[in-house]
Amino acid sequence: MESQRKNNLSTPALFIDKEAVFALLLCQEGLLTPVNHLMNEKEMHEVDNTGLFEGQSFPFSFILAPAGKRNEQVMRESKKGDEIALICENHLCGKLLVDSAFKIDKQARLFKIMSGDIYSKKAQHIYNRLGNYALCGEYELYLQSEIFAFKDRATKQAITQFKKRNNTQSVTAMVLDASPITRIHERIFRSILEENDLLVLLLLRRQNEGLLDFYIRKTCLEFVITNYLPKNRIAIFPLDDIYLFAGAHGIILDAILAQNLGCDRIAIGENYPNLAIYYDHQKIYSIFDMAKDIKIKVKLLSEFVHCNQCKTIVSLKTCPHSKNHHIYYRSGFLQGILQSGLIPPTILVRKEVSAKILSYLFPKRFESIIQQFGAMFASSGMIEEQSDEDFYLKLIDIYQTHSLN
């Protein structure tokens, strides 16, 4: 069916990128409610001027305005009732029935999305993908298209079924990239689950992944959940980190998305850059205090460290020792260790997680010496095929042998 659509494509087409596709997908799945359609010109101006849509906070208008001369020509020539094909990376991924086309102010839209930060690299990326015209109308995405083949996406319906199956009452959402998943994450998950029936992890999937791509991050997160946490009370929802979430108001969209997934609370670190906490008359305020009709509650998370005096993971708010006794769980630091091919301390990252990541980053690294595996490590005496991951695990076990210290 998909190949027929490609071969028989005779209608005008808009060429859009994955960021636009995934933004349209969120709207189609009802995850941006009250927004459930592409806005027309009047709605665009109302939302951009008031920050409200149907009485609820929504930081900026939801429109489709792809860049490119060919796209601009199609939009300018389109008439109400025309059917437009949506193409992404040479794949037909949907269609749009035109209601209207209208001119937009690219600079003003960029300013709105980025909350004034228009000179960063991210802002430049968004500006370059914006066209001069927008197109609105009813649309449909073909989820069987090859562009969605890698998605492995949990849907709103799947989360709802998860809740019903487990008779869930209270649900907290948390956005994270788990790059890598650490002991601190586990501590936070357990803390949340002490007060809630279900934890929904919104796992970021970036357009341009860094050292640890989505596959290995999700694999390690699933391993920890399956083996060390109540797996029937944690759900993973892949969340594409697209332009909608780029600016300071992205945190409001996180909350709207979580609310539409059926969550009644969202957990956010106190040092989250866009939370904008301030104090007035001994009361704490954040960006959510300016939001209207977003009913989800916010759970603020303290920063955790490992204290070498307390000998455990502690909150900075409750640890009595100075910061020179603290080990911080910085993802950049841990990635630097892993990128060098070294094994992070197990007080930071579980040994099984480190083994999975290192064997993924450096495949067949020990192929030349793995044949000596049996002579290097104690074993059960059974002849077994050994992998790089097994090698790392055995190596870590030897590092942790203290009797000769």
Side-chain angles (χ1 to χ4, degrees):
M1 186 176 183
E2 181 65 22
S3 60
Q4 289 179 350
R5 286 199 185 104
K6 290 180 187 177
N7 295 333
N8 297 331
L9 186 62
S10 58
T11 58
L14 278 184
F15 294 83
I16 59 179
D17 58 19
K18 284 185 177 179
E19 292 195 64
V21 171
F22 299 149
L24 292 173
L25 180 59
L26 288 178
C27 183
Q28 179 173 294
E29 291 182 339
L31 294 175
L32 298 181
T33 302
V35 175
N36 56 16
H37 63 273
L38 289 168
M39 296 178 182
N40 57 34
E41 186 175 13
K42 180 181 178 182
E43 290 172 325
M44 176 187 73
H45 288 307
E46 286 179 354
V47 173
D48 287 341
N49 289 334
T50 66
L52 298 172
F53 182 73
E54 295 184 356
Q56 178 177 309
S57 289
F58 205 86
F60 46 81
S61 55
F62 185 73
I63 61 174
L64 180 62
K69 292 182 179 180
R70 182 163 46 176
N71 282 340
E72 182 168 325
Q73 180 179 355
V74 168
M75 288 187 284
R76 292 180 67 175
E77 295 176 355
S78 66
K79 302 181 297 296
K80 185 171 183 175
D82 286 352
E83 184 175 297
I84 307 290
L86 301 177
I87 309 293
C88 180
E89 297 187 348
N90 296 319
H91 294 290
L92 179 64
C93 62
K95 66 179 179 180
L96 185 148
L97 189 64
V98 176
D99 180 72
S100 64
F102 49 93
K103 194 171 179 59
I104 69 166
D105 185 334
K106 289 172 56 175
Q107 192 74 17
R109 179 157 180 78
L110 177 68
F111 190 90
K112 201 72 179 176
I113 292 174
M114 295 303 296
S115 308
D117 174 23
I118 61 174
Y119 300 107
S120 65
K121 186 176 180 180
K122 184 178 290 187
Q124 190 60 48
H125 163 75
I126 294 174
Y127 185 81
N128 291 338
R129 61 181 300 283
L130 280 175
N132 295 306
Y133 284 80
L135 203 60
C136 78
E138 295 184 3
Y139 69 89
E140 177 189 357
L141 295 178
Y142 304 138
L143 298 184
Q144 69 271 32
S145 168
E146 293 178 42
I147 201 67
F148 296 106
F150 73 98
K151 292 296 294 171
D152 187 27
R153 170 183 285 275
T155 63
K156 179 179 180 179
Q157 183 180 8
I159 298 294
T160 301
Q161 291 174 348
F162 192 105
K163 289 172 60 180
K164 288 182 178 179
R165 186 168 61 249
N166 294 283
N167 193 27
T168 300
Q169 300 299 319
S170 56
V171 186
T172 288
M174 178 180 174
V175 180
L176 77 163
D177 60 12
S179 186
I181 176 74
T182 69
R183 302 272 191 173
I184 291 293
H185 289 109
E186 291 185 48
R187 172 66 180 272
I188 292 172
F189 298 165
R190 294 178 195 279
S191 173
I192 291 173
L193 289 173
E194 287 176 0
E195 302 175 355
N196 295 266
D197 297 328
L198 177 65
L199 171 60
V200 178
L201 298 176
L202 306 176
L203 184 62
L204 292 174
R205 176 173 17 217
R206 305 187 186 282
Q207 298 300 312
N208 298 305
E209 294 278 14
L211 177 70
L212 304 181
D213 63 25
F214 181 79
Y215 167 79
I216 188 61
R217 290 186 289 114
K218 184 169 182 282
T219 297
C220 293
L221 180 57
E222 288 174 333
F223 172 83
V224 170
I225 291 172
T226 300
N227 291 278
Y228 304 106
L229 294 162
K231 62 181 180 181
N232 66 323
R233 296 175 57 200
I234 301 179
I236 299 175
F237 184 92
L239 176 62
D240 295 284
D241 188 26
I242 54 179
Y243 72 98
L244 290 179
F245 302 90
H249 288 93
I251 194 170
I252 293 293
L253 290 175
D254 287 337
I256 290 173
L257 187 147
Q259 183 171 283
N260 286 315
L261 278 174
C263 303
D264 44 52
R265 184 176 295 186
I266 185 169
I268 300 171
E270 287 183 343
N271 57 351
Y272 189 89
N274 294 331
L275 189 56
I277 289 179
Y278 64 95
Y279 295 85
D280 185 24
H281 300 294
Q282 297 183 333
K283 185 177 179 181
I284 301 176
Y285 293 87
S286 75
I287 192 172
F288 289 98
D289 291 292
M290 296 180 287
K292 184 176 181 181
D293 206 30
I294 296 180
K295 299 179 177 62
I296 196 167
K297 297 179 181 178
V298 180
K299 176 180 175 61
L300 295 179
L301 302 172
S302 301
E303 184 173 5
F304 290 92
V305 297
H306 188 280
C307 176
N308 61 18
Q309 293 295 305
C310 296
K311 307 295 183 185
T312 189
I313 295 171
V314 295
S315 164
L316 285 179
K317 286 186 174 181
T318 59
C319 182
H321 305 108
S322 60
K323 64 181 181 180
N324 57 296
H325 292 293
H326 295 161
I327 298 175
Y328 290 83
Y329 289 64
R330 308 297 192 204
S331 61
F333 170 69
L334 292 172
Q335 287 182 28
I337 293 176
L338 292 165
Q339 191 170 26
S340 299
L342 300 176
I343 300 168
T346 53
I347 63 169
L348 303 179
V349 181
R350 283 191 180 271
K351 64 179 183 180
E352 296 87 354
V353 171
S354 296
K356 287 182 181 298
I357 293 174
L358 289 170
S359 60
Y360 180 76
L361 294 177
F362 304 100
K364 299 182 179 180
R365 184 185 187 190
F366 299 112
E367 193 172 29
S368 60
I369 62 172
I370 210 165
Q371 296 175 357
Q372 306 171 43
F373 198 106
M376 295 174 63
F377 304 116
S379 69
S380 63
M382 300 291 291
I383 299 176
E384 300 174 351
E385 183 177 347
Q386 305 294 343
S387 66
D388 282 8
E389 190 174 327
D390 296 321
F391 185 92
Y392 283 113
L393 287 172
K394 289 290 187 180
L395 197 60
I396 295 169
D397 285 340
I398 288 180
Y399 285 150
Q400 292 180 313
T401 300
H402 301 292
S403 60
L404 297 179
N405 291 346

